């Protein structure tokens, strides 16, 4: 099936229940343009260099999301144009995003990454770490960051029960933050969870944003 057909299929399944981030990492510009032609405007990349190169050579109305692990010293390269940073996984990174945003007078939209998977290979905060980090004092100091919600990745498994449980945990943590430190922040509303293998489960559990790559563009070849 073509990229166009894949996208149409997936959009039909999602409907207006969640925002679709088309994950185009490792894929060439022509693939992105094919998706663009069908009306897709939101794309996700996980490497800073690739994100910058693609944003420079592709249409300017594309919204670029940084979905991968981001090193603090690379924030400056994407600060001027990135539409959303999904994986904010340390206080250091959050402060650096604020600093780079201040330099260019831009409020940079972010999601806080929460560790929900059983594996300890995945990045993100625990609920306790979030409570310790997100003090009123810190939030007041973040004048150039827009915290729009949370992001999480479930364990890589076929066990649907396990995946639902982890997505449910992310929703629970989101709701607690929404009622707590972000109760005055009407922009705190996104839950980014769900990938090719589990985006429908994620939506059923309350996802507002799914990050889908291989189901749209086909399997990735990292040896290219
Ligand atoms: C690659 C990636 C995805 C998309 O994965 P697929 O299984 O190809 O849909 C989603 N989220 C993150 C953080 C990724 O790195």
């Amino acid at each position: 099936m073509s990229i166009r057909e894949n996208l149409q299929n997936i959009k039909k399944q999602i409907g207006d229940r969640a925002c679709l981030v088309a994950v185009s990492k490792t894929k060439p510009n022509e693939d992105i343009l094919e998706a663009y032609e069908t009306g897709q405007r939101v794309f996700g990349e996980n490497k800073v260099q690739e994100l910058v190169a693609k944003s420079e050579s592709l249409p300017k109305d594309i919204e670029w999301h940084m979905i991968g692990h981001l090193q603090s010293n690379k924030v400056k390269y994407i600060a001027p144009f990135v539409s959303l940073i999904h994986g904010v996984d340390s206080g250091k990174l959050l402060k650096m995003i604020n600093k780079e945003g201040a330099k260019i007078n831009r409020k940079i939209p972010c999601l806080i990454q929460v560790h929900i998977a059983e594996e300890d290979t995945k990045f993100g905060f625990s609920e306790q770490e979030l409570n310790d980090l997100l003090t009123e004092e810190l939030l007041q100091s973040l004048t150039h960051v827009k915290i729009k919600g949370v992001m999480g990745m479930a364990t890589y498994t076929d066990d649907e029960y396990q995946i639902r449980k982890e997505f449910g945990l992310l929703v629970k943590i989101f709701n607690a933050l929404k009622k707590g430190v972000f109760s005055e922040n009407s922009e705190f509303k996104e839950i980014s969870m769900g990938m090719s293998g589990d985006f429908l489960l994620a939506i059923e559990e309350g996802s507002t944003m799914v990050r889908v790559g291989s189901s749209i563009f086909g399997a990735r070849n990292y040896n290219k």
Side-chain angles (χ1 to χ4, degrees):
M1 282 225 282
S2 66
I3 291 171
R4 161 183 289 274
E5 287 167 313
N6 289 340
L7 251 179
Q8 281 167 347
N9 255 327
I10 289 167
K11 278 195 192 151
K12 209 187 292 168
Q13 294 177 68
I14 296 175
D16 56 9
R17 294 183 292 167
C19 168
L20 172 62
V21 180
V23 176
S24 48
K25 61 189 186 196
T26 79
K27 297 297 178 181
N29 285 356
E30 68 228 48
D31 286 10
I32 297 174
L33 281 173
E34 190 176 337
Y36 181 88
E37 297 302 327
T38 76
Q40 181 67 27
R41 290 294 178 272
V42 183
F43 291 87
E45 291 283 337
N46 72 338
K47 295 267 188 305
V48 166
Q49 209 180 355
E50 196 175 340
L51 178 55
V52 170
K54 285 174 172 171
S55 76
E56 283 170 356
S57 55
L58 285 159
K60 294 303 166 210
D61 61 342
I62 288 180
E63 291 174 35
W64 293 103
H65 288 200
M66 174 65 194
I67 61 166
H69 179 62
L70 177 59
Q71 287 172 290
S72 299
N73 60 356
K74 294 195 173 163
V75 173
K76 56 179 179 280
Y77 302 114
I78 61 171
F81 69 90
V82 70
S83 287
L84 187 61
I85 297 174
H86 285 238
V88 178
D89 59 1
S90 75
K92 182 182 168 204
L93 178 58
L94 197 53
K95 286 171 199 160
M96 182 59 90
I97 295 168
N98 186 58
K99 191 172 156 192
E100 294 299 334
K103 276 192 203 164
I104 55 173
N105 197 23
R106 178 166 189 244
K107 263 193 145 190
I108 301 174
C110 293
L111 302 177
I112 304 283
Q113 186 163 357
V114 184
H115 182 103
I116 53 171
E118 228 169 36
E119 312 140 76
D120 38 71
T121 51
K122 296 206 170 127
F123 297 102
F125 295 100
S126 69
E127 187 167 21
Q128 185 58 52
E129 286 168 341
L130 278 180
N131 290 336
D132 294 342
L133 174 79
L134 298 172
T135 59
E136 284 295 341
E137 193 190 359
L138 175 75
L139 294 176
Q140 294 272 323
S141 75
L142 298 175
T143 50
H144 289 80
V145 170
K146 218 185 272 181
I147 299 181
K148 299 196 70 171
V150 295
M151 177 268 208
M153 287 169 89
T155 302
Y156 189 72
T157 173
D158 291 336
D159 183 351
E160 187 181 314
Y161 175 80
Q162 174 76 20
I163 296 171
R164 280 190 193 275
K165 194 175 78 180
E166 293 174 1
F167 286 155
L169 174 63
L170 186 59
V171 172
K172 190 197 116 202
I173 292 172
F174 169 84
N175 285 332
L177 292 171
K178 178 104 195 133
K179 270 200 219 128
V181 282
F182 294 114
S183 59
E184 304 289 304
N185 178 355
S186 59
E187 287 175 321
F188 187 81
K189 57 185 181 196
E190 304 292 350
I191 304 175
S192 167
M193 61 184 192
M195 316 194 343
S196 288
D198 55 23
F199 69 89
L200 285 177
L201 281 187
I203 290 172
E204 283 174 29
E205 295 298 326
S207 172
T208 65
M209 200 174 261
V210 293
R211 311 175 308 269
V212 181
S214 42
S215 293
I216 297 173
F217 297 106
R220 286 176 293 274
N221 177 3
Y222 284 103
N223 303 317
K224 247 194 281 185

